[in-house]
Amino acid sequence: LTVSWSVVLVIGLFGIMLPLLRRMRQRTSGTSRRVCVLVLGDIGRSPRMRYHSLSLSKHGFNVTFVGFVETKPPEDLLKEDKIKIVPIREMKALLRGPKILTYATKVVFQCLQLLSVLMRMELQSHILMQNPPGLPSISVAWFVSILRGSRLIIDWHNYGYSIMALSHGQGHPVVRLAERYEHFFGPLATHSLCVTNAMKADLQNNWGIRATTLYDRPASFFRETPLEVQHELFLKLANTHPQFQSSISELEEKNLEKTAFTVRDFTHDTVTRRPKRPALLISSTSWTEDEDFSVLLKALEEYEGFVRGGASLPSLVCVITGKGPQKDHYRRLIASLHLQHVNICTPWLEAEDYPVLLGSADLGVCHTSSSGLDLPMKVVDMFGCCLPVCAIHFSCLHELVKHEENGLIFRDFQELAEQLKSLLSEFPSSESKLGMFRRNLRISRGQCWDDNWDQIVLPLITSS
């Protein structure tokens, strides 16, 4: 009798669930033109997923972009009718107690929140998600795709467990669990994208995942900035950052408007660069554990020593942009330095100002990643602006940075300091090595994001 009632109960539950499941998977005429783009991070600081969304919308897809909204999303997203931003909440601190309990509670909350958001939205033909962070978004997205008949695409930017290992250590139980988690759920996706051929090989050999390499390409708005636009940006930044202001010892001349780098002559309506301006160095970061900015700061201290020792070098204005958990730590570290010829500022730029500043800079600096298998998006954007870089060495960097052709590769802070000294010794001459790198970048500036995406990703979306 007990068995009979159990069978009846199972049949009854199945009878109730089957219509619900059919309803959840019921496709309409518009389903094939709907795609969910998912990132468990700030939408405003997720450029690659933002570019995915814009490319999809350009091809007539209705995009539901799910992520945190910590900063104002860029205007190109907000003004696009076919992109709907669905915010999710990040829980930074849920309770007091052991870290493992806090973290577990946070993961459970995010699971429930993602399930609620993904299950309530209209049926999507595809869920295109970023990893990392993939805990818990990969498992939730996979589960929803199974329930609703959507296809899951994972875009591998890096490995989440390798980033966690930087702060917890490779042998930490949470890191080992995160690695097993990614190894288990990663292969369950319908398709996978990745950012380098080195990561493609690693995913194939060690994870059993057949991924397609989609190199990052600069969006069309990453380009060299006209001098007049540079001047306007420098004026804007000078309101909050004295590093961009002209020297207070200068006598302001009538009909002249000056910044530390440029001069506008209202009489002739012209903008020119100042002949003895400082060099503008830029680096971008999310201020996380996988970017050790002490390397750059030590190199800047060495550069300061070169100038004090009598080397003929320009002063430096070093701009480090971005937001993140390590920012306050490094700001305190910067404040403790005693630099006279190097000025460092750490602004948070509006999305529209960031490419303008890149296109106005003289040199970019970049650091490595946790896995050594991804290419830094910041360098891609810099190259779009024809901005030469100094980048720290890791195994697949040669896929992007060509040493002595479009930039230099360094291994430690001493080597970076020597490279800064070498590149800026003839500043601001356009005939210097720095000028040669910029000319090479102008010649080699290749495919933009749109063309690259159309060739690689669009067929995945439309053929399945």
Side-chain angles (χ1 to χ4, degrees):
L1 184 63
T2 304
V3 173
S4 300
W5 277 109
S6 299
V7 171
V8 170
L9 181 61
V10 170
I11 293 173
L13 288 174
F14 183 76
I16 294 172
M17 293 300 296
L18 187 59
L20 292 175
L21 187 60
R22 283 178 176 169
R23 194 177 306 158
M24 285 190 295
R25 296 170 67 97
Q26 187 172 4
R27 301 174 76 86
T28 65
S29 58
T31 300
S32 63
R33 308 300 294 176
R34 290 195 292 266
V35 177
C36 172
V37 176
L38 170 64
V39 56
L40 204 61
D42 182 25
I43 287 174
R45 290 180 284 163
S46 303
R48 185 167 162 110
M49 304 313 287
R50 167 183 157 205
Y51 299 162
H52 277 305
S53 298
L54 291 169
S55 293
L56 285 162
S57 69
K58 287 176 184 176
H59 286 278
F61 290 90
N62 291 297
V63 179
T64 304
F65 198 167
V66 180
F68 303 142
V69 184
E70 297 175 357
T71 57
K72 181 186 175 184
E75 287 298 324
D76 53 1
L77 288 180
L78 296 175
K79 70 182 181 182
E80 178 52 62
D81 292 338
K82 288 187 173 294
I83 298 177
K84 177 185 177 183
I85 295 176
V86 177
I88 54 177
R89 234 175 3 135
E90 181 179 17
M91 302 302 291
K92 297 183 182 295
L94 292 173
L95 48 82
R96 294 180 181 179
K99 286 187 177 180
I100 187 70
L101 179 60
T102 303
Y103 186 72
T105 307
K106 180 178 179 179
V107 168
V108 170
F109 173 83
Q110 289 177 336
C111 276
L112 296 175
Q113 185 179 200
L114 284 176
L115 268 175
S116 174
V117 168
L118 295 179
M119 292 298 291
R120 285 189 292 109
M121 69 175 57
E122 290 183 285
L123 180 59
Q124 310 286 305
S125 65
H126 293 78
I127 299 174
L128 171 56
M129 64 155 292
Q130 173 184 311
N131 183 64
L135 182 65
S137 53
I138 296 180
S139 57
V140 175
W142 170 77
F143 179 69
V144 170
S145 68
I146 292 298
L147 282 181
R148 308 202 67 184
S150 302
R151 292 173 174 85
L152 175 62
I153 301 175
I154 299 177
D155 191 355
W156 295 82
H157 298 194
N158 205 331
Y159 298 139
Y161 78 89
S162 67
I163 294 177
M164 294 175 68
L166 291 172
S167 55
H168 299 293
Q170 191 67 45
H172 194 281
V174 172
V175 175
R176 293 203 303 269
L177 178 63
E179 183 176 8
R180 293 192 187 101
Y181 168 89
E182 283 183 286
H183 269 281
F184 179 81
F185 285 102
L188 301 180
T190 310
H191 299 292
S192 288
L193 302 170
C194 61
V195 293
T196 65
N197 284 330
M199 180 169 279
K200 175 181 178 179
D202 189 73
L203 285 167
Q204 174 68 61
N205 297 334
N206 299 319
W207 298 61
I209 296 173
R210 295 177 62 87
T212 301
T213 302
L214 175 70
Y215 281 120
D216 284 317
R217 294 286 189 266
S220 59
F221 49 77
F222 283 100
R223 54 185 179 270
E224 292 183 81
T225 304
L227 200 51
E228 293 80 2
V229 181
Q230 291 185 31
H231 182 73
E232 292 302 320
L233 177 63
F234 295 152
L235 285 174
K236 178 180 178 180
L237 291 172
N239 290 327
T240 51
H241 299 283
Q243 294 88 349
F244 290 88
Q245 297 172 2
S246 61
S247 173
I248 58 174
S249 62
E250 294 180 329
L251 291 175
E252 288 298 329
E253 301 176 47
K254 189 177 180 181
N255 295 325
L256 292 183
E257 182 181 63
K258 297 181 180 181
T259 71
F261 303 93
T262 53
V263 178
R264 179 186 292 279
D265 185 337
F266 289 106
T267 303
H268 301 96
D269 194 25
T270 58
V271 175
T272 56
R273 291 185 176 90
R274 304 186 66 157
K276 293 187 178 181
R277 67 185 183 278
L280 180 56
L281 187 72
I282 187 165
S283 189
S284 174
T285 179
S286 55
W287 298 106
T288 53
E289 291 86 351
D290 61 332
E291 291 187 279
D292 181 8
F293 260 83
S294 64
V295 175
L296 174 57
L297 298 181
K298 289 177 182 177
L300 294 176
E301 286 187 287
E302 290 285 305
Y303 185 91
E304 172 79 15
F306 295 151
V307 180
R308 291 186 182 184
S312 180
L313 294 168
S315 297
L316 278 183
V317 171
C318 179
V319 180
I320 305 174
T321 70
K323 282 185 178 180
Q326 296 278 307
K327 185 169 184 176
D328 287 341
H329 164 72
Y330 279 107
R331 289 180 73 172
R332 289 192 294 270
L333 188 58
I334 290 167
S336 70
L337 302 177
H338 301 287
L339 305 175
Q340 295 179 350
H341 304 280
V342 177
N343 288 295
I344 304 172
C345 61
T346 58
W348 168 248
L349 296 171
E350 295 177 12
E352 291 74 24
D353 288 340
Y354 177 62
V356 177
L357 185 61
L358 284 189
S360 307
D362 299 300
L363 181 64
V365 175
C366 179
H367 292 68
T368 190
S369 75
S370 59
S371 68
L373 296 172
D374 65 323
L375 292 177
M377 187 72 181
K378 59 180 72 68
V379 173
V380 175
D381 295 338
M382 289 172 184
F383 281 179
C385 297
C386 298
L387 177 64
V389 302
C390 292
I392 198 166
H393 175 270
F394 58 94
S395 59
C396 67
L397 187 61
H398 65 276
E399 294 185 40
L400 180 62
V401 180
K402 312 299 181 185
H403 187 64
E404 294 285 358
E405 182 179 322
N406 55 19
L408 297 175
I409 297 173
F410 61 91
R411 296 176 185 271
D412 53 40
F413 75 89
Q414 292 101 333
E415 192 171 7
L416 173 57
E418 290 293 338
Q419 289 176 358
L420 294 177
K421 180 181 179 181
S422 171
L423 291 175
L424 298 173
S425 61
E426 300 177 64
F427 184 84
S429 171
S430 60
E431 300 305 313
S432 63
K433 181 183 287 189
L434 195 61
M436 179 192 72
F437 290 165
R438 190 180 290 274
R439 290 191 295 273
N440 290 342
L441 285 167
R442 289 169 181 156
I443 294 170
S444 64
R445 200 173 190 274
Q447 266 190 329
C448 66
W449 169 270
D450 290 332
D451 295 336
N452 195 37
W453 191 92
D454 290 354
Q455 291 178 14
I456 295 172
V457 184
L458 184 60
L460 296 180
I461 302 289
T462 55
S463 65
S464 55

